[in-house]
Amino acid sequence: MKPVAVYPGSFDPLTNGHIDILQRALPFFSVLHVIVADNADKNTLFSVEERVEMIKEATSREKNIVVTSFKGLVVDYAKKVKAHAIVRGLRAVSDFDYEFQLATMNRRLNADIETIFFATRGKYFYISSSAIKDIAKNGGDISSFVPAAVEQKLREKFKK
Ligand code: ADP
């Protein structure tokens, strides 16, 4: 039996980089829970419901995916769904410090849960949610960086 994993993030919004990571992670797990952080302290462009909805739409053809939001600690959500792995993506060296710290802290919080990193594909390494928002806000073309559902939502958001 394959293990269960969680893929946590802000996903504000989901990009093709996130999709690539989740598609490549999927074959290794029986279920992959894509969990959107519901963190009131973080200023996000999209509500948690909008972020969950966009991920559901973009991954509707994938099997063995659960998309939902969570409050609190990733390790607590992972324990609740009996996950033994946390999936994270690594882009550049600049991600490493933060991700290493997070992985180490999560292991201190729950030693039964291992963080597994997937290195980004070369063609996605420069894609970040914040860059996408900036480009969309300034009227740039984001169609090759995000799924269609997300592009549409970004357009609507910045039309207002
Ligand atoms: P955070 O969870 O830190 O708020 P995100 O929601 O943007 O950040 O990303 C969730 C995870 O996906 C992180 O591990 C991040 O490094 C990874 N990720 C983000 N963009 C990409 C990308 N273009 N390629 C690979 N991994 C990525």
Side-chain angles (χ1 to χ4, degrees), residues 4-63:
V4 173
V6 298
Y7 179 27
S10 309
F11 304 108
D12 185 43
L14 179 79
T15 69
N16 290 344
H18 294 128
I19 291 185
D20 177 53
I21 298 293
L22 73 85
Q23 282 177 338
R24 286 164 53 209
L26 262 175
F28 296 96
F29 303 104
S30 57
V31 183
L32 183 66
H33 294 256
V34 181
I35 57 172
V36 180
D38 186 355
N39 181 353
D41 298 338
K42 230 177 178 178
N43 245 332
T44 55
L45 177 65
F46 291 101
S47 70
V48 71
E49 293 81 15
E50 287 175 311
R51 286 178 277 153
V52 166
E53 207 41 54
M54 283 186 279
I55 303 174
K56 279 189 177 164
E57 244 186 280
T59 60
S60 60
R61 266 172 296 175
E62 306 292 347
K63 288 193 183 73

Side-chain angles (χ1 to χ4, degrees), residues 65-80:
I65 277 196
V66 174
V67 185
T68 187
S69 64
F70 76 105
K71 278 193 165 104
L73 298 175
V74 171
V75 287
D76 289 343
Y77 182 92
K79 193 173 171 190
K80 197 175 79 186

Side-chain angles (χ1 to χ4, degrees), residues 5-8 29 74-75 78 83-90 98-108 110-118:
V6 298
Y7 179 27
F29 303 104
V74 171
V75 287
H84 288 293
I86 297 170
V87 167
R88 295 287 286 178
L90 280 179
Y98 172 69
E99 293 291 343
F100 184 55
Q101 206 175 26
L102 204 62
T104 308
M105 182 54 84
N106 281 332
R107 194 162 47 246
R108 284 297 301 269
N110 189 333
D112 296 331
I113 302 172
E114 199 63 60
T115 299
I116 299 176
F117 294 107
F118 285 80

